[in-house]
Amino acid sequence: MRIWIIGMYVLLLLSVGCSSLSDSNQTSKNYVIKCLDGDTCLVMWNGYEEKLRIKDLDSPEINGKCKEESRKGLEAKHYLNHRIKTAKDIQIEVVSNDRYYRLIGDIYIDGNSVLGIMTYHQHGVRWTGKKKDWCK
């Protein structure tokens, strides 16, 4: 009976689409490998390497329209990778897929969403349906 209850709990966690990692990025089959820019990370998800796009976050592109956008894009990438590397707890939440076959969701670093972290530290803005002009 106890094994059945544990099994049901595991299935419930998997169906929610959230994976929690404590003290190490690789203690679970779902973990962040690295962030490619300020709003897209490479994750291991259910045994597959996948790109995860942070829902509702717009950050500067590394190959931006101007030098300033590219500089801000690299800064955002390095900041996010540093936060991931130094985290004590990481949770990945997947809510859907986009037209480019990326996962859409959020990553929680020590209980704080990447969306909140990146907007608070001005490495991104909330997506409004139109890309921000980072060259201004």
Side-chain angles (χ1 to χ4, degrees):
M1 180 68 156
R2 182 180 235 179
I3 292 174
W4 183 82
I5 292 171
I6 292 171
M8 293 305 290
Y9 180 72
V10 169
L11 286 174
L12 176 65
L13 284 177
L14 290 174
S15 69
V16 170
C18 190
S19 173
S20 176
L21 308 174
S22 298
D23 297 325
S24 171
N25 255 359
Q26 299 181 10
T27 59
S28 169
K29 67 179 180 175
N30 299 331
Y31 57 90
V32 178
I33 298 168
K34 66 180 178 179
C35 293
L36 306 173
D37 59 25
D39 55 25
T40 305
C41 295
L42 191 61
V43 299
M44 187 60 72
W45 187 256
N46 294 331
Y48 296 97
E49 220 174 81
E50 304 272 359
K51 287 184 181 176
L52 178 118
R53 174 84 167 79
I54 304 300
K55 185 178 185 296
D56 296 328
L57 179 62
D58 177 22
S59 71
E61 299 298 328
I62 293 171
N63 297 316
K65 294 178 183 176
C66 64
K67 287 182 181 182
E68 183 66 8
E69 181 176 9
S70 296
R71 183 190 66 75
K72 289 177 182 178
L74 278 173
E75 193 175 279
K77 172 186 170 180
H78 294 307
Y79 178 78
L80 186 51
N81 277 314
H82 172 74
R83 291 294 299 259
I84 295 286
K85 184 178 179 182
T86 59
K88 289 185 174 30
D89 179 65
I90 296 175
Q91 295 179 7
I92 301 171
E93 180 181 56
V94 174
V95 294
S96 65
N97 292 74
D98 70 6
R99 64 180 178 206
Y100 303 110
Y101 305 103
R102 294 177 296 192
L103 302 173
I104 301 294
D106 206 348
I107 297 169
Y108 293 86
I109 301 172
D110 297 326
N112 299 302
S113 74
V114 165
L115 173 62
I117 291 168
M118 296 301 277
T119 56
Y120 180 80
H121 292 282
Q122 300 178 347
H123 292 296
V125 295
R126 183 173 280 279
W127 174 252
T128 61
K130 183 179 176 188
K131 193 102 175 102
K132 178 180 174 165
D133 184 356
W134 296 94
C135 297
K136 290 183 177 181

